[in-house]
Amino acid sequence: MSASREKKARQERGADYLSPKQQKALEEQKANRRVTTIFTVCAVLFVLFVAGIAVWNSNVIQRSAEAVRVNGKAYTAADMAYYYYSGRSNLLSNATSYGIDTSKSLREQSYSDTQTWYDYLVESALNTLTNTALTAQAAQDAGFSGSDEVESTVKETLSTLESSAANSGYSTTQYLKAIYGPLMTKGVFERNLRLIALAEAYTNSGSDPANYTADELNAAYDADPNAYSTVDYEAIVFGSSSFASDAEETTENTENTESDDGSAAALAAAQDALARYKAGEKLDALADELNGTYMDSSTQYGSGNDMMDWLFDDARKSGDADVVDYTYYGMSMGSMVLVFHSKERADFHTVSVRHILVDDEAKANDILAQFNAGDKSEDSFAALAQANSTDNADDGGLYTGVYPGQMVETFNDWCFDASRQTGDTGIVQTDYGYHVMYFVAHSDFAYWQELVASKLTSDRISAITENAQSELLSGMKYIET
C-alpha cells in the first residue's frame, strides 16, 4: 500500500486506530485496574472481618443469642447468665465443703450419678428464671406493679452495686462481668433485677392476711389445723454419739474392731428415763443424771419425723409420754423421751425487733447511750447495728416474725414482755454476748393467720408455675463454666 493510501486509511479509521505501542499500554492499564479492584475488594473484606471480630469480642452476638424459652417466650444468654452465675458464685464460695475443684471445669465434676455440677447449676438457674418470669407475668396480667417496692429494691441494689464496684477498684460494668460473666451489662442486670423485684413484690403482697377474708382464712385452717398450731412439750435427747463405744470386739477366728455407734445405749437410756419419769421423777433431773439434753419448748408442725408425728397426733393428751427415734434430716441420731403438754392454735402475735450484739457489757451500754443521745429513731438504731453488731449487721439487726420460744430465753422474755411497746430499748445478756435491743412492733395478725396467708400465697404461685414449659436453646453454649 502506498504511503498516501495508508494515510487515507488511518483517517478513515480515525480515533479507533491504536498503534501496537498504544495497544500494549492499554493492556497494561487494564491489568493494573484489575489488580486495583482485587486489592480494593480484599481491603473491604478485611475491614469487615476485623469489624466482625470486634463485634464478636464485644459479646453482642453471644449476649443476644436465645438461650431459654419459657412458655413460648425467649430469654437471652445474658439473661440466663444472671441466674446461672448467681448460683455458681454461691456454690464456689463453699467449694471445699462440696468437694469441688475450682481449677477444673464444672462440666468435668459430678454432682450426682446423672448430673455434673454444671448440669445442676443450669437446672437450678432454669427453674429460678422460669418461676420468676411467670410470677412477674402473672403480676402484670393482674395489673399489679408494686412500683414503690420494686423501685426501692432496684435503687438500693444498684446503689450497693456501685459502691461495691468502687470499693473493689472496678467500674460498675467491670464489676458485673467479674460476678456474672462476660455477657453481663448494666442494662441486662437491671432488667432481671426488676423482674425479680416484681415477682417478689407480687408474692409478698399475697402473703398479707389482709388480702384474704375471714372465711378464707378460717376455711384453710379447718382443712389442716395441725399446720397452724403449736405444741408445748418437754423432752430429753439421747444422742447416739454421746454413748458411742470404742471397745474392741475380737472373735476366735478373726481380729476385727467394731465401733458401737451408741444407738443401743441411747435407746436403753431413753427407756430408763421414761420409766423413772412415769414413776414420778423430774425430766430435767433425769437428763443431767443420764447424759441427755433437756428441752422445754414449743414447736410448729413439721412432717417427716417420729417426733412431729407423735406430738401432733390427734389422740395426744396432756401428760402423755413415750420414747421415739431422734432424727436429723432423715438420719437416726439416737433416741428421745417426749412428754406432751398441750396443742393450741397459734393465736399469738409475732414481733419484729432489732438488736446489736457485742461481746461486753460496757460496749453495750456505750452503744445504748449513743442511741439515746440521738434522735432515738429506728433508722438511727439500724445504723448503729450496721456499724457495731456481730450478728445480722447488714440488715440493721432486724428480725421479723419472731414467735415465742424461737429465741434463747432471756432474748425471748424481753421480746414478749406484756408491757413491750414500739421504741422500747434495753440490754439483754445471753450465752452469745450482750444484745442492745430495740422493739419495732407487734404483728397486726395472729400467727396462724400469717401462716395461712403464706400457704394460700404459696399455693397460688405454685399454680402459676406448675405447668410451665421450659427448654434450653442453642445460646446456652455461650454460658461459660
Side-chain angles (χ1 to χ4, degrees), residues 5 23 43 259 290 338 359 380 455:
R5 291 179 64 187
Q23 288 178 347
S259 179
L290 300 176
L338 284 175
D359 55 6
S380 64
K455 178 63 165 57

Side-chain angles (χ1 to χ4, degrees), residues 404-474:
Q406 179 181 355
M407 301 297 189
V408 293
E409 185 176 1
T410 52
F411 194 109
N412 176 85
D413 291 348
W414 189 91
C415 292
F416 290 96
D417 186 303
S419 64
R420 194 63 59 223
Q421 298 292 323
T422 296
D424 284 356
T425 57
I427 294 176
V428 172
Q429 183 181 5
T430 70
D431 291 340
Y432 300 99
Y434 291 85
H435 306 256
V436 184
M437 306 293 296
Y438 180 94
F439 190 81
V440 179
H442 294 91
S443 170
D444 292 332
F445 294 90
Y447 189 49
W448 74 267
Q449 293 173 313
E450 294 182 348
L451 292 175
V452 167
S454 179
K455 178 63 165 57
L456 292 175
T457 300
S458 177
D459 290 346
R460 179 166 56 87
I461 299 301
S462 294
I464 292 171
T465 60
E466 64 182 354
N467 294 319
Q469 300 295 318
S470 303
E471 61 177 321
L472 299 176
L473 305 176
S474 61

Side-chain angles (χ1 to χ4, degrees), residues 220-221 224-230 301 344-346 448 451-452 455:
Y221 172 82
D224 189 9
N226 277 345
Y228 313 110
S229 298
T230 59
Y301 179 67
E344 297 178 345
R345 187 172 72 174
W448 74 267
L451 292 175
V452 167
K455 178 63 165 57

Side-chain angles (χ1 to χ4, degrees), residues 350-412:
T350 61
V351 300
S352 296
V353 297
R354 291 185 185 272
H355 81 127
I356 304 170
L357 178 61
V358 294
D359 55 6
D360 67 80
E361 188 175 11
K363 187 172 183 179
N365 284 319
D366 179 60
I367 291 172
L368 184 56
Q370 291 181 51
F371 172 76
N372 287 327
D375 62 8
K376 298 185 180 181
S377 68
E378 183 182 348
D379 287 343
S380 64
F381 190 93
L384 285 169
Q386 290 174 337
N388 296 280
S389 186
T390 59
D391 177 57
N392 204 25
D394 289 344
D395 291 329
L398 179 64
Y399 281 107
T400 61
V402 179
Y403 54 85
Q406 179 181 355
M407 301 297 189
V408 293
E409 185 176 1
T410 52
F411 194 109
N412 176 85

Side-chain angles (χ1 to χ4, degrees), residues 71 73 133-145 198 202 460 464:
N71 284 6
K73 183 176 180 179
L134 294 183
T135 303
Q137 185 60 56
Q140 293 170 348
D141 293 344
F144 177 87
S145 67
L198 176 59
Y202 186 57
R460 179 166 56 87
I464 292 171

